[in-house]
Amino acid sequence: MKRLAALALLLTASAQAQELDFPAGYREWIHLTTGIDMSYNPTFFRLGHHMFDNVYAEPSAYREFLKTGTWPDKTQLVLEVRMGTTEGSINKAGMLQTGEPMGVEVHMKDATLPGGWGFFGFDGQDKRATIMPQDAECYACHRKDGAVDTTFVQFYPTLLPVARAKGTAR
Amino acid sequence: MKRLAALALLLTASAQAQELDFPAGYREWIHLTTGIDMSYNPTFFRLGHHMFDNVYAEPSAYREFLKTGTWPDKTQLVLEVRMGTTEGSINKAGMLQTGEPMGVEVHMKDATLPGGWGFFGFDGQDKRATIMPQDAECYACHRKDGAVDTTFVQFYPTLLPVARAKGTAR
């Protein structure tokens, strides 16, 4: 009976980890970096627009990273994609961000998931997203090249020195 | 005597507003936007590098803006400039941010200043900066083209709709 109860608990946890609510407050989280038209995000890149990628970390996970050089369980990192345009107000060159997000993706650490992390993609007004299947290319790429615990800390200028100092960057 | 005391207070306040401490925690403030190679920042643009501009608002000022559509006294906005590079880890296209900030500039609202705002530029390890003279080109440009109270809210995708809703954007 004990084993059955434990199995039931595990199944419930696993089922919960398959869906995620939209991270409503993420624009008030900690900004880690912004890139433009980076090619490790091929889905958006193929659209032929210019795209900024803004990355945010949930504040308590960020503070834990500052202390330890790695992410605690339930960490959420958000990748927000916004259109880049040269046209806007007085701007004459370069690019600025404009309009509504074109997509929001969450990378969540969860010990109940295979590999310990899940990706969730939100389009438009999605309030809830289903986990991306484990054969989605984001998983393989993050596992192969993420500097810290399958995350791209090599692209986060304020966190890379922390990871190096703590010896957690590979 | 009362008028002399008032004058002395005003002079002290004015002298204080001429210098500013480095905003040490600004990377944990609210991210407003990031642009790249935008030409309303001509000093950096002329260097021939690619430059990202990250903009942050002090959290209490940001929250006040959400309520009112404008900035309270003592608001600090930070413009951080970082080098853009195509080379880094697995990146194959586009640009990412790297290294230490190349410059940090603060735009501070202060009722004791002529025009109500001051600019302060920090280079390298500067702990304190002196206010930029009122004939610096940033003042004229922000006054002429800033959408809200001499600030470039037209470039902040999450705040522009707030300013429009509150009727504070021109």
Side-chain angles (χ1 to χ4, degrees):
Chain A
M1 272 310 273
K2 263 193 181 164
R3 282 177 69 187
L4 267 182
L7 182 64
L9 264 177
L10 194 67
L11 287 173
T12 309
S14 178
Q16 282 170 346
Q18 304 301 305
E19 292 206 332
L20 187 69
D21 287 334
F22 184 79
Y26 75 87
R27 281 291 304 216
E28 302 180 5
W29 292 1
I30 309 295
H31 176 238
L32 297 185
T33 197
T34 295
I36 185 163
D37 293 341
M38 289 173 69
S39 72
Y40 76 107
N41 194 357
T43 310
F44 292 114
F45 194 64
R46 280 188 213 114
L47 295 174
H49 303 297
H50 289 290
M51 297 285 184
F52 283 95
D53 287 321
N54 300 312
V55 182
Y56 302 91
E58 193 282 314
S60 67
Y62 164 85
R63 283 190 289 271
E64 189 69 16
F65 192 100
L66 293 186
K67 281 187 216 153
T68 64
T70 193
W71 304 108
D73 200 40
K74 306 305 178 197
T75 287
Q76 290 190 31
L77 302 176
V78 165
L79 180 76
E80 180 204 60
V81 180
R82 282 193 195 249
M83 179 94 71
T85 175
T86 55
E87 286 164 39
S89 181
I90 58 165
N91 192 56
K92 297 290 183 291
M95 266 185 286
L96 54 101
Q97 301 190 26
T98 187
E100 292 299 306
M102 307 201 61
V104 169
E105 204 173 286
V106 177
H107 192 198
M108 184 171 74
K109 185 165 181 171
D110 187 325
T112 69
L113 292 171
W117 289 81
F119 286 95
F120 302 81
F122 297 83
D123 287 321
Q125 303 299 308
D126 287 355
K127 292 267 184 290
R128 210 165 161 75
T130 302
I131 195 166
M132 294 186 200
Q134 287 286 328
D135 58 1
E137 96 191 286
C138 39
Y139 292 96
C141 182
H142 276 253
R143 270 178 211 139
K144 180 170 171 292
D145 291 304
V148 178
D149 191 12
T150 81
T151 66
F152 282 112
V153 172
Q154 62 263 52
F155 298 137
Y156 308 154
T158 57
L159 293 190
L160 182 56
V162 175
R164 283 184 175 147
K166 305 284 183 190
T168 55
R170 58 169 199 193
Chain B
M1 272 312 275
K2 262 192 180 163
R3 282 178 68 187
L4 268 179
L7 182 65
L9 264 175
L10 194 67
L11 287 172
T12 309
S14 179
Q16 283 171 347
Q18 303 301 305
E19 292 206 331
L20 188 69
D21 288 334
F22 184 79
Y26 75 86
R27 281 291 305 216
E28 300 179 5
W29 292 1
I30 309 295
H31 175 239
L32 296 185
T33 198
T34 295
I36 186 163
D37 294 341
M38 289 173 69
S39 71
Y40 77 108
N41 195 357
T43 310
F44 292 113
F45 194 63
R46 279 187 215 115
L47 294 174
H49 305 296
H50 289 290
M51 297 284 185
F52 283 95
D53 288 321
N54 299 313
V55 182
Y56 303 90
E58 193 282 314
S60 67
Y62 164 85
R63 283 190 289 270
E64 189 68 15
F65 193 99
L66 293 185
K67 282 186 216 154
T68 64
T70 192
W71 304 108
D73 200 40
K74 307 304 177 195
T75 288
Q76 291 190 32
L77 302 175
V78 165
L79 179 77
E80 181 204 60
V81 180
R82 284 193 193 248
M83 179 94 71
T85 176
T86 55
E87 286 164 38
S89 182
I90 57 165
N91 192 55
K92 297 290 183 292
M95 265 185 287
L96 55 102
Q97 301 191 26
T98 187
E100 292 299 306
M102 308 202 59
V104 169
E105 203 172 287
V106 177
H107 193 199
M108 185 171 73
K109 186 165 181 172
D110 188 326
T112 69
L113 291 171
W117 287 82
F119 286 95
F120 301 81
F122 297 83
D123 287 322
Q125 303 298 310
D126 288 354
K127 292 267 186 289
R128 210 165 162 74
T130 303
I131 194 167
M132 294 186 200
Q134 288 285 328
D135 59 359
E137 98 190 287
C138 39
Y139 292 97
C141 181
H142 276 253
R143 272 179 209 136
K144 182 170 171 290
D145 292 304
V148 178
D149 192 11
T150 81
T151 65
F152 282 113
V153 171
Q154 62 263 53
F155 298 138
Y156 308 154
T158 56
L159 293 191
L160 183 55
V162 176
R164 282 185 173 145
K166 304 285 182 188
T168 55
R170 60 171 199 192

